[in-house]
Structures are given as C-alpha cells and as structure tokens.
Amino acid sequence: MAYVANSATDVVTYPRLSWRAIIAGWLVATAVAGLLYVAGMALGFAAFDATDLASTAKGVGIGTGIWFVLTWATALFLGGMAASWFDNQVDHTMGALQGVAVWGLSITATALLISMGLGHAAAGSVAMAAASHDNNTRGGNTAAIVASGPAAEEVAILDEQVHQALRGERNDSAVTAALLAGHDDAARRLIEARGPTGAEAQRLLASMAAQTQAARNATLAQADRVAHYTSLAMWVSFLSGFLALLAAAGGGWMGANNLHRVFHLRRYEGRPVRQVVS
C-alpha cells in the first residue's frame, strides 16, 4: 500500500502518518518504561549491601546501564508496535515510520525533561555556592566548594592546616584555593598580606607542601573519575538511543505485519481471515 493511483485524474495519494496513533504509541512506551524503571529500582535495592558499599556501587552502576538500555529498547519496541496497530494500516513501511516517529517523540520529550531538570539543578547549585561563599567571608570552611567526594578529606586537611597557620584569619580559604590551583606565588602573597614576612610565609608554605601535593593529586584523580564516568554515561545513552531506534522501527514493522492477528474479525487485503465457528 505504497500509493493509490487514480487513472482518471492521475492523482497519486500517499499514506500519511497518524499523529493520534503516534501519541498513543508514545504513551504506551512511556508507561512500559515507567514499569521497567520501577522493576529496575526494586532489583537495585534488593542487591544493596551496606557492608560492601564499593562492590555494591560498582555492581549497581553496571546493572543500571544494562537495564537502561533494555528498558529503552523494550519500551519503544512495544510503543512502535502499538502505534502501527492504532494506525490500522497493513503497510510495513508506514508501520516502521510510525515506530520511528514514536522514538523521535520519546527522545524529544526526554531531552526537554532532562534540560528542565538540569536547569533547576544549576540554579540550586548557584544558590548553594553563593551561600557557601557568603559563609566563607565570615570565616567558614569552604573546602567542600573546592572538592567533594574522595578528594574532600585531603582538601579539608589542607584547609585546616592553612587555618591553623594563619591563626584563624578571615577568608583564609582563598589561600587553600590558590594552593590547589598550583599558584604558590599567589598563596605566598595572600599569606604576606595577613602579616607574616616573606621568609615566614615561605616557611609556612614549605610546612604544608606535602599536604598540598596530596590534595592536588586527590582533586585531579577525582576530576579524571568524573570525566571517565561522564563519558561512559554518554556512550550508554547513545547506545540505548540507537538500539531504541532500531527496536521502535522493528516494532512498528512487526505490528503492521501482524495487524490481522489483532483485528482478526476484519478483512485485510492479502491476509487470511480467521473463521469463527459458533
């Protein structure tokens, strides 16, 4: 059913996508994905082991990636199949296109939701950073701004050493930030601005050299881990999106190919009619 030609008027009529069927298929895919996400969360909590957090976190991370790919592929396969059924056309090509349209709508809606969530998260992070900076100007510890996670401990130790060396001077975390950035000259000038002479400032820097290097190494290692896991997450997202595209097109094709099985009491050209015996 690629086209219908009218010999009297020479008008060729091509089939059209049904947006009602596409939206219905998208709703089916969204519902299936929600169910599978809930099942994945249940499996993840069941596998949680508080006595071995490192191994648990690694296992849950791998399982989450695999489940994410399977969820997208399964949900959009069923969504594409449902869209071709709702479209009610025995046309394999149109069925596959209906599935691709369901995939495109799903990707667009997901991207919008993610962008909105990231926007709110960024706004919250800016507000927290502003509050922490205001706290720092009152003499607070701002090591958490410089680093978080595994590097936070080393940075906190360095920040405490600077605090003790400057005897609790205000805004001493600026010295910590300069040391972490590798700006030793700037750190020395900041120390000198608080009273110690050049020789005394150099002695203080030398006494903190070992901890400064340890904090730098920890911060760089954490940055490498963040980059690695971010890259891995992007590749998983790409793989899941690509496989979901194939699954949606395949589901739409299969749905159109088996339309007569869904509406078995209706006649379709080129398809057998099931006989109902009363």
Side-chain angles (χ1 to χ4, degrees), residues 233-265:
M234 293 299 101
W235 278 112
V236 169
S237 299
F238 169 78
L239 179 62
S240 63
F242 181 73
L243 291 180
L245 170 60
L246 299 179
W253 182 89
M254 184 175 294
N257 189 48
N258 294 277
L259 191 65
H260 63 289
R261 300 181 185 277
V262 181
F263 304 104
H264 60 276
L265 297 180

Side-chain angles (χ1 to χ4, degrees), residues 140-203:
N141 189 323
T142 58
I145 298 178
V146 180
S148 61
E153 183 177 352
E154 297 293 342
V155 176
I157 295 174
L158 176 61
D159 194 71
E160 183 62 24
Q161 287 186 0
V162 172
H163 185 75
Q164 293 296 330
L166 297 179
R167 298 177 179 85
E169 291 287 341
R170 292 183 57 187
N171 207 16
D172 53 18
S173 289
V175 178
T176 304
L179 290 174
L180 287 174
H183 301 156
D184 293 342
D185 290 339
R188 179 178 53 79
R189 290 196 297 269
L190 286 170
I191 293 175
E192 290 176 353
R194 287 160 173 76
T197 61
E200 180 66 14
Q202 196 64 36
R203 186 187 66 79

Side-chain angles (χ1 to χ4, degrees), residues 10-75:
D10 293 328
V11 175
V12 179
T13 303
Y14 294 95
R16 296 182 178 180
L17 291 174
S18 172
W19 282 104
R20 289 183 297 179
I22 292 170
I23 293 175
W26 170 62
L27 291 176
V28 170
T30 302
V32 172
L35 288 176
L36 291 177
Y37 282 137
V38 172
M41 292 177 63
L43 292 174
F45 282 115
F48 182 78
D49 184 5
T51 61
D52 191 1
L53 293 179
S55 298
T56 300
K58 183 177 180 180
V60 169
I62 295 174
T64 299
I66 296 174
W67 194 261
F68 184 78
V69 173
L70 292 178
T71 296
W72 268 82
T74 303

